[in-house]
Amino acid sequence: MLFELHNVKKYFRLRSQSLLGPAQIVKALDGVSFSLKEGATFSLVGESGSGKTTLGRLMAGLYAANGGDIFFNGSDIRRLTKPQYRDFRRGVQMVFQDPYSSLDPRFTVERIMNEAFTLEKQVRMDERRRRIQEILDRVRLPQDILLRYPHEFSGGERQRLAIARALLCRPKLVILDEAVSSLDVLVQEEILKLLANLKKQFGLTYVFISHNLRVVAKISDKITVMYQGKIVETGSVGEVVRNPLHPYTQELLTAAMDYKLRHDGRAWALPSDGKGVDHGNGHWAMNIQ
Amino acid sequence: MNNVPKLFLMSFPRKRESTVDARLPRPVLQTVQDGRGHDKDKPLSEFQLHLRDFNKNRPAVACVWVLGVLYAGALFADFIAPYSFKDEDRSYSYCPPSRIQLWHDGKISRPFIYGTKLTYNDLHARVYVTDQTQSYPIRFFYRAESYRWLGLIPFSRHLFGVDAPSRIYLFGADARGRDVFSRILYGAQVSLSIGLIGVAISFSLGLLIGGIAGYYGGWLDNILMRLCEMLMMVPGFYLLLALRAAVPDNFSSLQVYCAIVVILSFIAWASWARIIRGMCLSLREREYVLAAKTMGVSDFKIILVHLLPHTFSYTIFAVMLSIPGYILGESGLSLIGLGIQDPYASWGNMLTDAMSIVRIQFAPWILVPAFFIFITVLCFNIIGDTLRDCLDPMLIGLLPTKQNVKSSIVGKSAGDLTLDQKRSIKSTENPKS
Amino acid sequence: MTPDLLRIEHLSVSLTDTPEKRIIDDVSFSVPPLSIVALVGGSGSGKTTMGLSILRLLSPALNIETGQIIFKGEDISQAGQQRMNELRGKEIGMVFQDPLQALNPVFTIGFQVGEVLKRHTFLNAEQIKKRTVDLLAQVGLDDPARAFRSYPHELSGGMRQRAMIAQAIAASPSLLIADEPTSSLDVTLQAKILELFKSLRDHFKLSVILITHDLGVVAHAADHVVVLDHGRVVESGKVQDVVHHPRHAYTQQLMKTLKV
């Protein structure tokens, strides 16, 4: 198992409205259990506020969980030794949504790429240069861009740069947080094709976070649907798309495919115990309240 | 430093336009000769690229040279100045600037000055009469009063001088007959350095503390900001008086002043820290900071290379504007007896002499220090403006890319635009469409 | 046959400094009344510039070189600023992509919508408030009174977008230009906003120019579609025709992205 999450909880505290009153707590993740096998493409689907971004960032080590356990390659990420920490950081990389803010506008491309070697300081300059050249080749960007600034590129090219930077660390898992959502449809296609190629070439595992089931259905093997901080349905792509069990999944599907709403977009109450029904073939859906 | 000759040449106006067509790509390579005499394209380092962009702005380069001359003057003040800053001669009080004569009896001769004598007219006003019978040649590398350069190397040659009893006053003399030119040079030592030292200390502290408070947030932010507020609460004037009293008596005037400036800058950092902290609070949520975290970059490094450089557009201007603030503040301090005292010279100090309109009327040369302050402030401002433009990545790389690169890399419709066009379009168009 | 509400004829927009570089190159299309016309294209196709040039909101670096923009029989491509100010808001409204940037963060929603009414109608303050609350309810905000008092950042993304639409239609324009209105929203919100546009067309009696890069949006919401590529029209027609039988290679590429 590459990644295992057991009953993970993450809360954010908002500033309290009154001076002495209790602070408002936003339950971004409310008991999420999740496991990842190497080699597949997993998708986390949900709308804003469902907790999918929080889950992705938690897996990347950017947030600390408030409850539950998280294991990467068998080790608890809260108690990592120094070499384990290094492996974790290099093993899990992230590509962010906004290609305009995931690359520091003051950095040249060369500096951006070199940042990926922070945990491998012993790698020499010529080796670094070779690896950078190789990765630029793989993402199909020309070699002479090293001294250019990010804003000189278009959105799709910047995403390629972000992907190249993530791959320089030779990760096992790449978390793509809405990586194509802000691109044009044609550019989206290109990037998705590129991602599929890179997955084959490097033997990667992807966690693809998105709110658009249409895009997700094209590239993933397994879909996990999140709603209000909990997982409401999970299963293989074919199963879930053909036979969505939870009404929220049905809502997302019709919205993505037909641009219509099946249940008029109403809110659903989730059972607090999080119980659901397993329908075989790995297809699980939470009970409706 | 093989850029020095280039810098020197580039600061003079050139007649022909640059050969680099504005529509061509921003060249990032430099053709060099390798060992066998073949041309090779060597990529320029980032620093060299910034330097080259800076050099394109000729006013800024000119300002660098002007400041360089001033700082060189301050550094070599002992050598360049014909007299010491306290060398007075009351018989030359308020003597007008010496006219350097180049013609004698219709022929060009080596530069000399005529003797001047102080007389009084009927209204008991001072009038200086030139005595054309006495001529004193200006001697160069003149051996005069000895000094120790930088306090270490004993020397006794000055750049120029005249024989006694005449005195050469390039910028005239002040009330006690001291040479204004020499005092300008000695004053530069104090005025030019104090601004830099004070700003260096206060900004380093401000950036560091503001960056740390903004990045970590939470209780650390709280504590640091309350500390800043406590420091800002202290009223400046009373603090100065208290500090003056606290400094030991046996300090020389110069040492007292340095101590006060250092102490003041330790308090001035508070207001910068608050502003920097505000900027960092919003910057730390940017995705490139998160990306750096996933690559294992340490917190301190993130603050240093990702957060603080984005505050530069504010910081550089604030630095450039506060350096003259120190110079001018110093003159205020001298007024209340806390700054550099007589006989030591500083530009602000010299200006207190010029506070009377009567004196300015008949001895206008005592305003020369104001001119130097003005020039210094102007140069710092122009350099600061250009620096900010050079370091702003949005304004640098906007020249279009090479024509021979695949069209996919050309930024679509904006591929052939010049800087101004792109800047004006960006203001209305959404970058995503 | 009812005359077209808006007709673009051979419009070319280029850079002021280099007129050879055209952002929009000889574009012609028309917008009939009570219809949704979609302008589709990738980035750099000039679709946003098209929307801005109808309202003459282009930056000084761009200018309309040739062509005519005929709105209700009047050519507004050369009209003066005063005439344009009368048209903007009252006859033609615009909705922008990012409501957080398009709405002023220091004023309440009620104030911003009321501003439009104050400028274009003769209602007094009381009537403006009532009309604003009505408008907010009509665009689908659940608690219009609360939205009236809220600031833009206090509302969710979908509500902000609706508030912006309310602001655009406040003075009852006959044409609404929507520049990528759903790009920053989730899928379910996207569906709702498209429903809203359709109801605006039916109940508010206005035409909508929908600028988007997503052909799926077009297929499910628009009546007519104009496909732009690098500033030129490559295909146009009724949605059913173009979507089911795309002729140009670019349109066919776009249609391929819809297949799952």
Side-chain angles (χ1 to χ4, degrees):
Chain A
M1 275 293 151
L2 189 56
F3 233 111
E4 268 186 75
L5 287 94
H6 294 305
N7 203 23
V8 165
K9 293 192 172 74
K10 175 70 186 158
Y11 301 147
F12 290 107
R13 239 178 233 107
L14 298 177
R15 287 218 192 110
S16 52
Q17 301 286 52
S18 58
L19 203 58
L20 298 167
Q24 253 186 309
I25 298 183
V26 172
K27 288 189 183 167
L29 291 174
D30 201 7
V32 166
S33 300
F34 189 55
S35 56
L36 277 182
K37 262 201 293 252
E38 261 195 71
T41 301
F42 296 85
S43 294
L44 277 180
V45 195
E47 305 213 285
S48 17
S50 57
K52 57 189 197 303
T53 303
T54 316
L55 187 57
R57 292 190 180 179
L58 207 87
M59 290 205 291
L62 294 170
Y63 294 156
N66 291 113
D69 300 304
I70 310 178
F71 295 96
F72 172 69
N73 264 341
S75 27
D76 186 348
I77 63 173
R78 278 189 279 206
R79 293 173 194 76
L80 292 172
T81 64
K82 217 161 175 198
Q84 281 176 332
Y85 176 77
R86 218 171 277 151
D87 285 336
F88 171 64
R89 276 283 177 230
R90 285 166 50 195
V92 180
Q93 281 297 313
M94 198 156 169
V95 176
F96 295 88
Q97 168 174 15
D98 188 357
Y100 290 91
S101 68
S102 61
L103 304 171
D104 191 337
R106 299 193 86 97
F107 276 33
T108 52
V109 170
E110 184 181 16
R111 232 178 133 188
I112 292 174
M113 295 295 154
N114 269 320
E115 212 179 17
F117 292 108
T118 317
L119 286 172
E120 293 176 278
K121 286 213 164 65
Q122 73 279 7
V123 178
R124 300 167 60 84
M125 275 310 290
D126 41 355
E127 172 67 17
R128 288 190 195 194
R129 232 174 270 140
R130 190 192 64 80
R131 295 221 316 226
I132 293 175
Q133 278 173 352
E134 187 199 336
I135 215 80
L136 286 178
D137 233 353
R138 302 276 187 134
V139 300
R140 286 182 291 132
L141 282 170
Q143 293 292 336
D144 59 350
I145 56 169
L146 283 180
L147 284 170
R148 304 215 173 268
Y149 286 91
H151 65 83
E152 298 181 52
F153 300 97
S154 69
E157 285 150 0
R158 290 169 75 138
Q159 276 302 41
R160 286 174 205 261
L161 279 174
I163 294 171
R165 173 180 65 183
L167 291 177
L168 263 179
C169 310
R170 297 189 182 157
K172 292 212 185 75
L173 172 67
V174 181
I175 304 175
L176 297 143
D177 188 359
E178 307 251 20
V180 293
S181 305
S182 55
L183 304 171
D184 285 342
V185 274
L186 286 180
V187 180
Q188 269 186 26
E189 291 287 302
E190 279 175 42
I191 299 287
L192 290 175
K193 245 187 275 187
L194 173 70
L195 286 172
N197 275 335
L198 291 170
K199 178 169 167 224
K200 261 186 264 168
Q201 285 174 23
F202 288 100
L204 303 166
T205 311
Y206 284 152
V207 171
F208 198 85
I209 303 176
S210 175
H211 60 78
N212 190 340
L213 266 176
R214 175 194 292 273
V215 166
V216 151
K218 279 189 223 189
I219 63 162
S220 46
D221 305 317
K222 199 159 180 258
I223 290 188
T224 305
V225 181
M226 288 188 69
Y227 182 65
Q228 286 181 358
K230 294 196 170 87
I231 294 181
V232 294
E233 188 158 351
T234 174
S236 70
V237 157
E239 278 284 322
V240 174
V241 170
R242 217 170 4 102
N243 182 23
L245 293 165
H246 199 275
Y248 180 65
T249 320
Q250 296 163 356
E251 193 81 281
L252 281 182
L253 258 175
T254 35
M257 304 297 183
D258 300 327
Y259 295 84
K260 275 199 254 293
L261 289 172
R262 191 159 158 175
H263 301 282
D264 217 18
R266 64 171 187 263
W268 307 95
L270 299 177
S272 47
D273 56 3
K275 283 220 176 71
V277 182
D278 197 334
H279 294 259
N281 278 342
H283 194 175
W284 176 94
M286 192 180 271
N287 290 330
I288 313 164
Q289 186 85 345
Chain B
M1 245 249 297
N2 56 1
N3 278 316
V4 170
K6 267 212 172 129
L7 267 175
F8 180 74
L9 288 172
M10 275 176 165
S11 57
F12 292 98
R14 286 178 291 185
K15 280 198 207 119
R16 57 181 172 81
E17 263 302 311
S18 167
T19 50
V20 174
D21 188 344
R23 290 167 70 82
L24 282 179
R26 170 177 175 246
V28 295
L29 302 173
Q30 182 191 53
T31 312
V32 295
Q33 301 256 334
D34 70 5
R36 274 163 281 147
H38 298 290
D39 282 344
K40 207 164 63 122
D41 277 344
K42 189 180 83 152
L44 294 171
S45 77
E46 238 184 285
F47 177 71
Q48 283 172 313
L49 286 171
H50 284 311
L51 197 63
R52 192 187 59 191
D53 286 331
F54 188 83
N55 286 345
K56 284 193 197 139
N57 186 326
R58 292 191 207 124
V61 178
C63 287
V64 172
W65 279 99
V66 168
L67 281 183
V69 165
L70 289 175
Y71 274 90
L75 190 62
F76 294 104
D78 294 305
F79 175 66
I80 300 176
Y83 303 104
S84 154
F85 57 88
K86 48 185 171 196
D87 192 350
E88 42 182 80
D89 188 343
R90 303 271 175 157
S91 59
Y92 283 98
S93 169
Y94 286 121
C95 176
S98 318
R99 293 219 183 120
I100 300 180
Q101 311 293 340
L102 293 170
W103 295 83
H104 183 64
D105 292 336
K107 279 189 298 192
I108 297 186
S109 74
R110 62 184 283 182
F112 66 95
I113 57 170
Y114 288 123
T116 42
K117 220 167 82 138
L118 176 61
T119 59
Y120 291 91
N121 66 9
D122 334 321
L123 299 170
H124 299 287
R126 286 198 191 99
V127 171
Y128 280 90
V129 167
T130 325
D131 184 356
Q132 297 220 343
T133 55
Q134 298 170 307
S135 65
Y136 297 92
I138 299 176
R139 299 185 196 284
F140 291 95
F141 292 98
Y142 187 69
R143 182 180 282 273
E145 191 180 326
S146 69
Y147 55 88
R148 295 177 84 83
W149 187 54
L150 296 182
L152 296 170
I153 308 171
F155 224 55
S156 64
R157 295 266 175 195
H158 291 258
L159 185 60
F160 63 94
V162 290
D163 298 325
S166 168
R167 285 163 74 84
I168 177 165
Y169 291 114
L170 283 182
F171 287 155
D174 69 355
R176 294 198 224 165
R178 296 179 292 195
D179 178 20
V180 169
F181 177 72
S182 307
R183 284 177 62 92
I184 291 277
L185 289 170
Y186 282 101
Q189 286 181 335
V190 172
S191 297
L192 289 180
S193 58
I194 279 309
L196 291 184
I197 295 174
V199 152
I201 298 176
S202 59
F203 268 95
S204 309
L205 272 178
L207 282 175
L208 205 63
I209 306 247
I212 292 177
Y215 181 73
Y216 286 108
W219 57 268
L220 185 61
D221 177 27
N222 241 330
I223 290 178
L224 287 174
M225 285 304 110
R226 301 295 86 79
L227 180 68
C228 285
E229 280 158 19
M230 285 198 312
L231 286 174
M232 279 161 66
M233 271 194 318
V234 178
F237 184 67
Y238 299 102
L239 178 66
L240 284 171
L241 292 179
L243 288 175
R244 181 67 184 89
V247 167
D249 282 339
N250 55 7
F251 268 23
S252 77
S253 172
L254 190 66
Q255 286 171 307
V256 164
Y257 183 71
C258 283
I260 289 179
V261 166
V262 164
I263 293 171
L264 281 180
S265 33
F266 271 97
I267 293 171
W269 67 261
S271 47
W272 310 131
R274 282 179 63 87
I275 298 174
I276 304 286
R277 168 248 184 200
M279 293 172 110
C280 286
L281 264 184
S282 65
L283 287 171
R284 73 170 170 180
E285 292 301 324
R286 297 273 170 92
E287 287 169 351
Y288 51 80
V289 172
L290 297 176
K293 273 201 239 183
T294 63
M295 290 188 287
V297 183
S298 70
D299 286 342
F300 186 67
K301 196 124 192 263
I302 290 181
I303 297 177
L304 212 59
V305 302
H306 281 292
L307 292 186
L308 292 183
H310 284 272
T311 63
F312 276 174
S313 55
Y314 165 76
T315 310
I316 289 184
F317 254 132
V319 165
M320 291 302 168
L321 287 179
S322 54
I323 291 181
Y326 277 88
I327 297 178
L328 296 171
E330 176 254 313
S331 57
L333 283 181
S334 308
L335 205 61
I336 52 175
L338 293 180
I340 304 286
Q341 296 301 311
D342 260 359
Y344 293 98
S346 85
W347 290 349
N349 195 329
M350 293 160 76
L351 278 179
T352 61
D353 212 13
M355 285 210 309
S356 149
I357 191 71
V358 176
R359 279 185 224 156
I360 298 176
Q361 258 188 333
F362 86 92
W365 49 89
I366 54 178
L367 276 177
V368 166
F371 171 74
F372 279 91
I373 295 180
F374 166 71
I375 291 288
T376 310
V377 169
L378 188 68
C379 288
F380 271 116
N381 275 322
I382 293 178
I383 293 174
D385 199 24
T386 309
L387 257 187
R388 200 196 47 156
D389 283 350
C390 282
L391 293 177
D392 186 351
M394 297 293 258
L395 295 180
I396 307 177
L398 277 184
L399 293 172
T401 53
K402 285 194 173 99
Q403 278 94 335
N404 55 354
V405 171
K406 275 188 289 202
S407 60
S408 66
I409 204 150
V410 173
K412 300 299 172 186
S413 57
D416 297 350
L417 302 180
T418 64
L419 170 58
D420 284 318
Q421 290 166 345
K422 197 152 189 173
R423 234 194 289 186
S424 50
I425 291 179
K426 257 187 161 51
S427 56
T428 51
E429 283 218 27
N430 190 302
K432 287 182 188 158
S433 50
Chain C
M1 196 168 89
T2 48
D4 286 328
L5 187 63
L6 177 75
R7 228 170 50 238
I8 310 282
E9 283 183 1
H10 303 292
L11 186 71
S12 288
V13 172
S14 58
L15 300 171
T16 329
D17 292 339
T18 51
E20 322 87 62
K21 178 81 191 95
R22 287 185 176 177
I23 310 288
I24 295 177
D25 198 358
D26 196 27
V27 163
S28 307
F29 66 92
S30 58
V31 178
L34 301 183
S35 67
I36 299 182
V37 173
L39 280 182
V40 193
S43 61
S45 56
K47 50 191 200 304
T48 300
T49 315
M50 191 72 237
L52 290 174
S53 27
I54 295 175
L55 274 176
R56 304 272 306 286
L57 287 174
L58 293 172
S59 83
L62 300 169
N63 78 332
I64 298 176
E65 231 195 320
T66 55
Q68 295 176 310
I69 303 173
I70 302 173
F71 177 71
K72 282 189 180 169
E74 178 194 345
D75 182 8
I76 58 174
S77 60
Q78 305 297 329
Q81 278 305 310
Q82 200 169 14
R83 179 73 187 125
M84 287 314 302
N85 278 335
E86 285 169 27
L87 287 175
R88 287 180 200 133
K90 185 125 182 63
E91 299 284 343
I92 309 177
M94 188 149 182
V95 176
F96 297 91
Q97 176 170 359
D98 191 355
L100 255 183
Q101 289 189 357
L103 289 171
N104 193 328
V106 298
F107 292 115
T108 59
I109 304 287
F111 180 90
Q112 296 188 53
V113 179
E115 230 182 356
V116 180
L117 288 170
K118 211 158 61 165
R119 170 79 175 81
H120 290 291
T121 63
F122 291 105
L123 306 170
N124 62 29
E126 189 68 37
Q127 292 168 316
I128 287 181
K129 179 160 183 208
K130 186 169 175 306
R131 175 121 175 85
T132 305
V133 174
D134 280 341
L135 267 170
L136 292 174
Q138 278 167 334
V139 292
L141 284 170
D142 287 326
D143 192 349
R146 205 172 133 252
F148 183 89
R149 293 192 303 265
S150 310
Y151 289 90
H153 63 267
E154 291 174 352
L155 302 177
S156 72
M159 292 163 79
R160 273 198 291 268
Q161 191 63 278
R162 290 171 198 272
M164 191 154 68
I165 294 174
Q167 191 189 26
I169 62 171
S172 309
S174 28
L175 179 66
L176 185 68
I177 304 176
D179 188 358
E180 307 235 26
T182 55
S183 301
S184 56
L185 302 175
D186 292 332
V187 272
T188 49
L189 288 173
Q190 204 174 45
K192 285 191 198 170
I193 295 288
L194 292 177
E195 287 297 315
L196 176 60
F197 278 126
K198 283 197 216 162
S199 79
L200 286 178
R201 173 195 58 186
D202 298 329
H203 303 301
F204 265 73
K205 307 276 188 261
L206 44 77
S207 287
V208 182
I209 295 183
L210 201 55
I211 301 175
T212 177
H213 62 80
D214 186 353
L215 211 55
V217 163
V218 171
H220 290 99
D223 305 317
H224 302 264
V225 61
V226 176
V227 183
L228 292 171
D229 185 25
H230 285 102
R232 293 210 186 93
V233 177
V234 297
E235 193 160 349
S236 68
K238 287 219 178 68
V239 154
Q240 304 94 296
D241 297 334
V242 174
V243 163
H244 292 300
H245 307 289
R247 293 221 186 85
H248 196 269
Y250 187 70
T251 325
Q252 288 166 351
Q253 253 187 319
L254 285 177
M255 283 313 300
K256 258 197 235 144
T257 67
L258 286 183
K259 290 202 186 62
V260 178

